Amino acid sequence: MLTNDMIFEETLSPSIARHSMNGLPILKIQSPKCEAAISLHGGHLIQFKPNGHQDVIWLSNKAIFSEEKAIRGGVPVCWPWFGPVSSPSHGFARISSWQVLDHEENEQAVTLRLKLSASKETRALWPHDFSAILTFTMGETLRIDLEMINTGENPWQWSGALHTYFNIAEATETWVTGAGASYIDSLKNDRPCETSEALIINQSIDRIYTAPDETIAIHDQGNQRIIHVRNQGHNSAVIWNPWKELSRSMGDMSDDGYETMVCVEATRYAKDLASGSLLMPGEKQSLSTEISVTSAE
Ligand code: TA6
């Protein structure tokens, strides 16, 4: 596990310690309920393991920790846009440096809040004023809330995703239920499609499910568990697995990396920047995901 290669820097609280990885700050959480790790580069959670369970979140064993790149795996925060509708692809939040706002802990959970505000760098990519707050609540379950506020004088539009990579024992023995019947197939020129079947992860998949159930379930048969994903503030759920060829072409993923991961994302999808969700000056909106694990019967 890459998290073992980190260098300890200082203790912040009984459950939180600051480490570094290639010079990038990482906060490691070790509590009675879970182990977790969050990179301040990207505001990117890279580990979540509730006690008594396998890792829930997948991190590439070839992930690159560098200021220029998004980390492969974990929960990239794609914001203020989703996909390649502007540059950089999936927005700048996942390659920006987030500040620690505060943290607290009790017997049930450790809560950590990070902040990103408009700067010279962000305005060069997106000419708007904003404040974004990421709240990680880590206990037996994991909750991530991304709250965004328009701190400027003009309205702006956003799209985005909490692009969670889930750790599974074996893709071909994994199926996903609750994603809904309708999806846009990004691998077929964005063709609208309908299905009535559970999705088995046995091929290259890149789909935007437009009417998901309240909870999506990942049946991780090899680990005899079900991972439940409850999203809020989304308008769709993206499901992605790069499969063989794309995995092999990615420098930060091992050739067989696709066999043990699937992304199920809380997504606010928009086909271009202008059709994103509107946020008026002074308004707030949020996007959240809540992840829990139960044993398969
Ligand atoms: O969410 C699915 C997706 O948009 C895919 O199209 C795929 O390219 C993936 O995200 C990863 O994108 P990235 O920029 O992290 O390589």
Side-chain angles (χ1 to χ4, degrees):
M1 179 67 175
L2 278 170
T3 45
N4 293 333
D5 299 338
M6 291 170 193
I7 299 166
F8 171 79
E9 306 261 343
E10 61 170 332
T11 299
L12 299 187
S13 78
S15 303
I16 309 175
R18 191 181 174 102
H19 288 63
S20 68
M21 180 83 173
N22 281 353
L24 296 182
I26 310 277
L27 301 182
K28 282 185 84 170
I29 288 89
Q30 184 108 44
S31 79
K33 299 287 181 191
C34 69
E35 260 179 80
I38 294 167
S39 160
L40 296 187
H41 167 67
H44 196 136
L45 180 131
I46 54 172
Q47 186 191 23
F48 178 67
K49 182 185 174 304
N51 288 347
H53 290 278
Q54 307 281 336
D55 272 298
V56 175
I57 300 296
W58 183 89
L59 177 66
S60 171
N61 55 13
K62 290 177 79 180
I64 297 167
F65 287 78
S66 131
E67 275 177 4
E68 282 78 49
K69 278 190 78 69
I71 300 163
R72 178 69 61 199
V75 187
V77 176
C78 303
W79 192 84
W81 56 86
F82 176 80
V85 297
S86 189
S87 182
S89 182
H90 283 322
F92 52 77
R94 66 178 184 159
I95 50 168
S96 295
S97 178
W98 291 66
Q99 305 298 316
V100 177
L101 203 56
D102 51 31
H103 52 85
E104 59 178 53
E105 54 198 81
N106 58 36
E107 279 171 18
Q108 298 310 317
V110 176
T111 304
L112 176 70
R113 292 200 309 151
L114 307 183
K115 183 173 180 179
L116 179 69
S117 302
S119 62
K120 197 158 79 61
E121 289 75 29
T122 67
R123 286 192 196 98
L125 299 164
W126 193 63
H128 300 295
D129 284 331
F130 69 89
S131 165
I133 294 174
L134 262 174
T135 306
F136 298 90
T137 310
M138 298 160 284
E140 258 167 43
T141 62
L142 167 68
R143 185 177 168 105
I144 306 175
D145 296 283
L146 169 66
E147 183 184 76
M148 64 216 73
I149 306 163
N150 182 343
T151 55
E153 287 170 6
N154 298 306
W156 42 255
Q157 284 91 359
W158 69 280
S159 58
L162 298 169
H163 192 303
T164 312
Y165 287 71
F166 289 95
N167 183 43
I168 52 177
E170 167 62 52
T172 53
E173 291 173 15
T174 302
W175 68 95
V176 178
T177 54
S182 315
Y183 65 91
I184 298 167
D185 198 331
S186 305
L187 300 177
K188 292 184 180 150
N189 287 324
D190 293 341
R191 188 198 299 164
C193 300
E194 290 286 322
T195 179
S196 55
E197 287 163 20
L199 175 65
I200 301 171
I201 313 300
N202 58 3
Q203 57 179 310
S204 175
I205 295 161
D206 195 351
R207 300 178 178 180
I208 302 153
Y209 283 86
T210 51
D213 294 351
E214 197 177 321
T215 302
I216 296 177
I218 303 166
H219 301 259
D220 178 13
Q221 195 60 17
N223 282 324
Q224 294 188 307
R225 66 179 180 178
I226 303 174
I227 303 170
H228 308 267
V229 185
R230 196 166 153 266
N231 297 332
Q232 285 172 298
H234 58 302
N235 64 5
S236 54
V238 169
I239 302 190
W240 180 61
N241 183 296
W243 213 245
K244 289 181 197 174
E245 268 179 47
L246 189 52
S247 277
R248 286 185 189 141
S249 73
M250 289 195 285
D252 56 0
M253 193 159 181
S254 60
D255 288 356
D256 58 2
Y258 70 95
E259 291 175 0
T260 54
M261 56 74 59
V262 62
C263 288
V264 176
E265 310 166 25
T267 314
R268 186 74 76 97
Y269 170 75
K271 67 177 187 326
D272 52 37
L273 275 188
S275 45
S277 301
L278 183 69
L279 204 59
M280 300 303 285
E283 269 185 5
K284 285 181 191 173
Q285 283 180 4
S286 59
L287 180 65
S288 309
T289 191
E290 202 173 336
I291 296 159
S292 57
V293 183
T294 54
S295 298
E297 295 296 307

